[in-house]
Amino acid sequence: MRRAYSIIVSAGMAPVLIMGACLVLAISPNLVPNELAGLVRYGPFLLAVLGGAIAWWFNRGRAVFVMLLLLICYWLLVGNGAGFSPDGLAFLRIATLYLIPINLLILGFTAERGVLNPRGIARMLVLGLQIFVMLMLAGQPDVGSALYHLLDTRFFVSAGFLDAMPHPAMIISFVAVVLLLIRHKPLETSFAAAIIAIDVATVMGTGIIQYGYLAATGVVLAGLAQEAWRMAFVDDLTGLPGRRALGHAMAELGNQYTVAMLDVDHFKKFNDTYGHDVGDIVLKKVARELSRVGGGGKAFRYGGEEFTVLFAGRTAQKATDPLEALRKRIAENKIAVPEKNKTVSVTISVGVCERDDDATDPWGVLKRADQKLYEAKQAGRNRVVA
């Protein structure tokens, strides 16, 4: 439940706010002063260029690809269509309803490969090839007309919003949105929100499409910002907040708190015996239990096999019970060793210290908790010492 809430707030709140603001502007265009009307029209171009530049800086090739895709598709929609027949232009505009969800879905399930490397360049070439083929087909009036009628398919007679888009495009968009949301990641969530924004604008009418692309580029930019934050503050292996996030959290502590330091017993020996891949599995299992430690505790990966748990507003006595329960859960769980056909037990040792008159600095309290962890090791491990 806590994880679901965190996902909704962190990954979903920004897209909802941005799309809501654009929807309000679309419904009430009078809210936009005449002086800013051009900004709304050209806003998607500006946001796409800005987002693409930021993504390039952070070497996020997928975001660069998406911003470039949105920029080109928006240009096809708002351009004057010079050189294309009405049928060819109609084909280009309806093709974007297929092109965007299919590409965003594929990107959502592919690994990040950067920008200026063979795979990143290959992605750009694939996008360029798609656009080139579309433009070439649109340049042939008869072909463009035939393809338009092929793409503008309806499975049944409908009215209202069900008739505003081709039914196959609706289905593809729905599947793409659901699968991207299942990923539970900021950038993938922003891809899903971009598809929703463009489809909603399409349903509302051609006069609203600029707001749809304004929302789409905005949510991808927000997803990129959240992705950059995750890179800086979240540990990739365990998914827990990292050392940098710990520093920020400790700076916000009040006058009453408890710090716990813990690590995995005999972890080096475990790594030497079973290999680093199994060691990574152990760290993930421990981190998963730590993420639901309870008692108001928030877990961080300190480094290596060491973890820190902060209990804001808690005494050491109140923090000890959830930590003891955590220790027991980890000790009771068996971890399967791949390719060894066996299971192993893992234990942790924990040192706990609360703020008092002798230790008022959070890092000083952490150091004392680390000393208590050493005492737990010396006393035989697999225990909590407060």
Side-chain angles (χ1 to χ4, degrees), residues 213-290:
Y213 274 85
L214 189 65
T217 51
V219 295
V220 175
L221 184 58
L224 180 62
Q226 290 175 308
E227 178 79 0
W229 178 90
R230 186 190 64 80
M231 290 168 58
F233 289 95
V234 178
D235 176 61
D236 280 338
L237 177 65
T238 63
L240 292 177
R243 184 80 169 265
R244 191 189 301 267
L246 173 63
H248 283 262
M250 292 181 74
E252 298 173 356
L253 292 171
N255 293 325
Q256 179 65 66
Y257 58 86
T258 294
V259 179
M261 287 292 293
L262 63 93
D263 73 359
V264 180
D265 295 328
H266 301 295
F267 187 71
K268 184 179 183 304
K269 181 179 179 182
F270 193 93
N271 259 347
D272 293 341
T273 303
Y274 299 107
H276 290 282
D277 290 343
V278 179
D280 288 346
I281 293 174
V282 169
L283 293 178
K284 290 177 183 178
K285 294 278 189 181
V286 171
R288 188 177 305 164
E289 294 295 336
L290 273 169

Side-chain angles (χ1 to χ4, degrees), residues 8 22 38 40 43 67 84 92-93 107 160 169 214 226-227 241 245 277 287 302 305 314 342 348 350 363 366 376 378:
I8 292 171
C22 290
V40 172
M67 286 299 191
F84 294 103
L92 285 177
R93 291 175 174 173
L107 286 171
L214 189 65
Q226 290 175 308
E227 178 79 0
D277 290 343
Y302 188 79
E305 73 273 22
R314 298 287 195 277
K342 64 181 295 188
I348 61 170
V350 188
W363 291 102
L366 184 146
Q378 293 296 104

Side-chain angles (χ1 to χ4, degrees), residues 18-282:
I18 293 171
M19 292 170 62
C22 290
L23 184 61
V24 170
L25 293 177
I27 296 173
S28 305
N30 293 332
L31 294 175
V32 182
N34 292 332
E35 295 81 5
L36 299 179
L39 184 61
V40 172
R41 178 177 174 83
Y42 295 106
F45 290 114
L46 297 175
L47 290 179
V49 172
L50 175 62
I54 294 174
W56 193 298
W57 179 264
F58 285 108
N59 201 33
R60 302 286 94 181
R62 294 187 302 161
V64 172
F65 186 101
V66 169
M67 286 299 191
L68 187 58
L69 174 65
L70 293 176
L71 187 150
I72 293 173
C73 289
Y74 184 61
W75 172 76
L76 293 175
L77 290 168
V78 302
N80 57 20
F84 294 103
S85 66
D87 288 335
L89 194 58
F91 159 68
L92 285 177
R93 291 175 174 173
I94 200 172
T96 62
L97 299 177
Y98 292 85
L99 189 69
I100 290 173
I102 290 173
N103 278 278
L104 266 60
L105 177 60
I106 293 173
L107 286 171
F109 281 84
T110 55
E112 182 58 63
R113 300 299 184 186
V115 183
L116 292 179
N117 57 60
R119 293 185 179 180
I121 294 173
R123 283 178 176 171
M124 297 301 174
L125 293 176
V126 169
L127 173 61
L129 179 62
Q130 293 177 70
I131 300 301
F132 173 77
V133 171
M134 285 175 54
L135 294 176
M136 184 179 66
L137 295 175
Q140 306 294 323
D142 294 340
V143 176
S145 177
L147 289 174
Y148 171 80
H149 288 96
L150 177 64
L151 296 178
D152 192 30
T153 300
R154 302 295 191 277
F155 296 133
F156 52 85
V157 177
S158 57
F161 77 94
L162 287 177
D163 192 52
M165 282 179 61
H167 291 170
M170 273 189 183
I171 295 172
I172 292 172
S173 293
F174 177 79
V175 172
V177 167
V178 171
L179 293 178
L180 287 169
L181 290 177
I182 290 174
R183 299 282 287 170
H184 293 324
K185 294 181 180 180
L187 202 56
E188 283 78 354
T189 299
S190 73
F191 292 172
I195 296 171
I196 294 172
I198 292 170
D199 286 354
V200 169
T202 301
V203 169
M204 293 179 66
T206 55
I208 308 299
I209 196 65
Q210 57 191 355
Y211 295 98
Y213 274 85
L214 189 65
T217 51
V219 295
V220 175
L221 184 58
L224 180 62
Q226 290 175 308
E227 178 79 0
W229 178 90
R230 186 190 64 80
M231 290 168 58
F233 289 95
V234 178
D235 176 61
D236 280 338
L237 177 65
T238 63
L240 292 177
R243 184 80 169 265
R244 191 189 301 267
L246 173 63
H248 283 262
M250 292 181 74
E252 298 173 356
L253 292 171
N255 293 325
Q256 179 65 66
Y257 58 86
T258 294
V259 179
M261 287 292 293
L262 63 93
D263 73 359
V264 180
D265 295 328
H266 301 295
F267 187 71
K268 184 179 183 304
K269 181 179 179 182
F270 193 93
N271 259 347
D272 293 341
T273 303
Y274 299 107
H276 290 282
D277 290 343
V278 179
D280 288 346
I281 293 174
V282 169

Side-chain angles (χ1 to χ4, degrees), residues 311-328:
F311 293 88
R314 298 287 195 277
T315 63
Q317 182 178 3
K318 290 183 178 180
T320 300
D321 288 342
L323 289 170
E324 183 64 29
L326 169 72
R327 182 195 65 79
K328 290 180 179 178

